């Protein structure tokens, strides 16, 4: 399982192809219905494991992973009762209360679907495997195996493997960049959503692959009474979209296209991201080849904590900020791979 993890503390030439092979980011699927949408969420919705090591005990890790799995699997397979059984068993595990629960008159409340779609979990391969083992033990420790619906359990195992493969596919097309000095983290993920015709022509030679991509910018600074220099506004973006040379085009170089829009925000928004907040949006691009790469940066400004979010066309004071208040926040390269071409890249 490989993703692209970049850290601003490292030399860019050294980390551009730094594949973090011992960890994986568990994340919700990309929904076509969310294309063009943007939202502010809690930055703490990412259960982050620094350098692949979590401080919490094994039970806590398993609880986080299995809760994420059960909710997502139930969402994708609403009529499969085994998932609901699993969620009930997870909620009864004798481990400490986590961020996936909230206090309500002394009782715990499961995370809603909307909250689930905010959830990311960065975890090591070792801890992920341990959590899955714990998950299967939930169905065998309290009951005799011959009392279980064996066929249902076998189906559950198959669905589990499918989920892991889907996460592996997402992780391969995901990049993470961390700016420790500013306290910002950028996660980008892509998915192919079909093909589109060029103009009015619809022959196979005139089709392009369309990709949606999701970008999350997290301000993981802790909120304080004095948030000076920790509040940021996203002013615009610059993208470089690279089409991979096809295998049959041996004499051609990769083609690169640039989108330079430093003052037009993203999907019509010019958001302010305060400590503890994250901004996430989905957009799209087209490729004339089966695969490619996107990378770039967001044009950012350090702003006062009373600065309000804006939309394109609104007056934005930060556009006229002094150079010492402006900076670029990198988006590490992430892959664009057409449906049906995954086997060429993901092993």
């Amino acid at each position: 399982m490989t993703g692209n993890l970049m850290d601003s503390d490292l030399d860019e030439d050294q980390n551009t192809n730094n594949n973090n092979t011992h960890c994986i980011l568990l994340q919700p699927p990309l929904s076509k219905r969310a294309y063009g949408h943007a939202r502010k969420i809690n930055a703490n919705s990412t259960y982050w494991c620094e350098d692949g090591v979590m401080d919490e005990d094994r039970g806590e890790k398993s609880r986080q992973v299995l809760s994420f799995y059960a909710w997502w699997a139930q969402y994708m397979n609403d009529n499969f009762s085994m998932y609901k059984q699993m969620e009930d068993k997870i909620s009864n595990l004798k481990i400490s209360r986590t961020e996936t629960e909230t206090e309500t008159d002394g009782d715990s409340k499961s995370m809603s679907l909307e909250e689930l779609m905010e959830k990311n979990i960065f975890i090591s391969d070792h801890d992920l495997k341990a959590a899955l083992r714990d998950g299967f033990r939930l169905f065998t420790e309290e009951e005799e195996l011959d009392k279980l619906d064996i066929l249902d359990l076998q189906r559950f195992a198959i669905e589990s493997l499918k989920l892991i493969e889907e996460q592996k596919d997402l992780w391969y097309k995901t990049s993470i960049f961390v700016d420790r000095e500013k306290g910002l983290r950028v996660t980008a993920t892509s998915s192919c959503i079909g093909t589109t015709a060029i103009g009015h022509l619809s022959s196979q030679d005139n089709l392009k692959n369309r990709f949606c991509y999701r970008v999350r910018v997290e301000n993981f600074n802790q909120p304080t009474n004095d948030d000076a220099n920790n509040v940021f506004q996203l002013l615009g973006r610059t993208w470089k979209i690279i089409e991979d040379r096809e295998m049959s085009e041996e004499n051609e170089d990769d083609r690169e296209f640039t989108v330079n829009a430093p003052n037009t925000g993203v999907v019509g928004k010019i958001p302010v991201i305060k400590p503890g907040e994250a901004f996430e949006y989905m957009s799209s691009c087209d490729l004339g080849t089966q695969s490619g790469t996107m990378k770039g940066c967001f044009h950012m400004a350090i702003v006062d904590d009373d600065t309000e979010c804006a939309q394109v066309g609104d007056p934005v004071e930060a556009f006229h900020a002094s150079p010492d208040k402006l900076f670029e926040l990198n988006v590490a390269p992430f892959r664009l791979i057409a449906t049906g071409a995954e086997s060429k890249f993901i092993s």
Side-chain angles (χ1 to χ4, degrees):
M1 298 178 180
T2 61
N4 193 5
L5 181 64
M6 292 179 64
D7 192 315
S8 63
D9 291 342
L10 302 175
D11 180 76
E12 184 172 347
D13 290 338
Q14 295 176 344
N15 62 50
T16 297
N17 295 311
N18 176 25
N19 287 328
N20 195 21
T21 57
H22 300 296
C23 293
I24 184 173
L25 182 72
L26 304 180
Q27 54 189 314
L30 277 72
S31 171
K32 295 180 182 180
R33 291 173 295 180
Y35 166 71
H37 290 186
R39 60 179 181 165
K40 292 277 279 296
I41 58 179
N42 187 342
N44 294 326
S45 60
T46 297
Y47 188 61
W48 189 255
C49 116
E50 190 71 25
D51 296 326
V53 179
M54 291 181 181
D55 295 332
E56 288 79 6
D57 60 24
R58 172 172 169 173
E60 181 71 8
K61 299 171 189 175
S62 295
R63 169 65 174 272
Q64 291 282 345
V65 172
L66 295 174
S67 295
F68 176 91
Y69 171 78
W71 285 315
W72 186 10
Q74 184 175 326
Y75 167 65
M76 301 296 285
N77 301 270
D78 189 52
N79 296 322
F80 192 13
S81 62
M82 182 66 78
Y83 298 130
K84 296 180 180 180
Q85 295 178 38
M86 183 177 182
E87 185 175 354
D88 291 340
K89 288 178 178 290
I90 293 169
S91 64
N92 292 327
L93 286 177
K94 302 298 183 182
I95 60 176
S96 60
R97 185 178 300 278
T98 74
E99 61 178 312
T100 61
E101 298 179 340
T102 57
E103 293 285 353
T104 307
D105 298 326
D107 297 325
S108 64
K109 180 182 178 181
S110 294
M111 180 182 291
S112 67
L113 176 60
E114 182 177 345
E115 292 171 314
L116 167 63
M117 297 305 288
E118 299 177 3
K119 189 75 175 175
N120 282 346
I121 301 175
F122 191 69
I123 190 170
S124 69
D125 288 353
H126 176 270
D127 288 334
L128 176 60
K129 292 175 183 177
L132 294 176
R133 286 195 293 268
D134 289 344
F136 283 101
R137 291 193 184 104
L138 290 176
F139 293 96
T140 59
E141 289 182 346
E142 299 180 4
E143 305 174 63
E144 295 295 331
L145 188 60
D146 57 8
K147 295 181 180 180
L148 293 173
D149 184 341
I150 302 300
L151 291 178
D152 212 18
L153 190 57
Q154 288 176 340
R155 182 182 172 192
F156 182 77
I158 293 171
E159 293 292 329
S160 300
L161 294 174
K162 287 173 59 179
L163 181 86
I164 294 301
E165 285 302 308
E166 290 171 1
Q167 286 295 326
K168 178 181 175 181
D169 176 66
L170 278 176
W171 178 229
Y172 185 84
K173 295 178 286 189
T174 296
S175 72
I176 301 172
F177 178 84
V178 183
D179 185 331
R180 298 184 187 280
E181 180 182 353
K182 294 291 195 299
L184 293 169
R185 178 167 52 235
V186 182
T187 305
T189 307
S190 75
S191 178
C192 185
I193 57 175
T195 57
T196 181
I198 303 174
H200 299 290
L201 303 176
S202 58
S203 67
Q204 191 65 33
D205 293 337
N206 294 296
L207 292 179
K208 283 196 171 187
N209 292 297
R210 172 155 292 181
F211 298 86
C212 67
Y213 57 89
R214 178 177 61 207
V215 183
R216 179 179 296 191
V217 181
E218 298 171 87
N219 184 341
F220 57 84
N221 291 293
Q222 294 300 313
T224 64
N225 292 329
D226 181 14
D227 285 333
N229 299 321
N230 286 334
V231 179
F232 308 103
Q233 189 163 22
L234 193 162
L235 305 179
R237 76 280 186 201
T238 294
W239 288 119
K240 293 193 175 185
I241 304 170
I242 303 167
E243 292 185 337
D244 290 346
R245 174 180 58 82
E246 303 283 44
M247 297 296 291
S248 60
E249 301 173 342
E250 296 182 359
N251 296 322
E252 291 193 21
D253 296 327
D254 293 343
R255 291 182 287 269
E256 181 174 303
F257 307 91
T258 299
V259 176
N260 190 29
N263 296 316
T264 57
V266 290
V267 292
K269 310 293 183 182
I270 305 176
V272 173
I273 310 171
K274 297 182 178 181
E277 293 182 343
F279 175 77
E280 181 180 276
Y281 76 96
M282 282 184 61
S283 190
S284 70
C285 70
D286 297 335
L287 287 188
T289 55
Q290 290 291 297
S291 64
T293 303
M294 279 188 69
K295 62 181 180 179
C297 69
F298 292 120
H299 300 271
M300 309 288 293
I302 301 171
V303 296
D304 296 334
D305 59 5
D306 59 353
T307 303
E308 296 184 357
C309 296
Q311 299 189 47
V312 173
D314 292 344
V316 176
E317 185 176 342
F319 286 151
H320 311 289
S322 59
D324 62 310
K325 295 293 186 180
L326 302 174
F327 66 98
E328 294 180 353
L329 177 63
N330 285 342
V331 182
F334 59 98
R335 296 291 286 160
L336 308 169
I337 301 176
T339 302
E342 294 91 349
S343 61
K344 299 179 183 178
F345 304 93
I346 306 172
S347 58

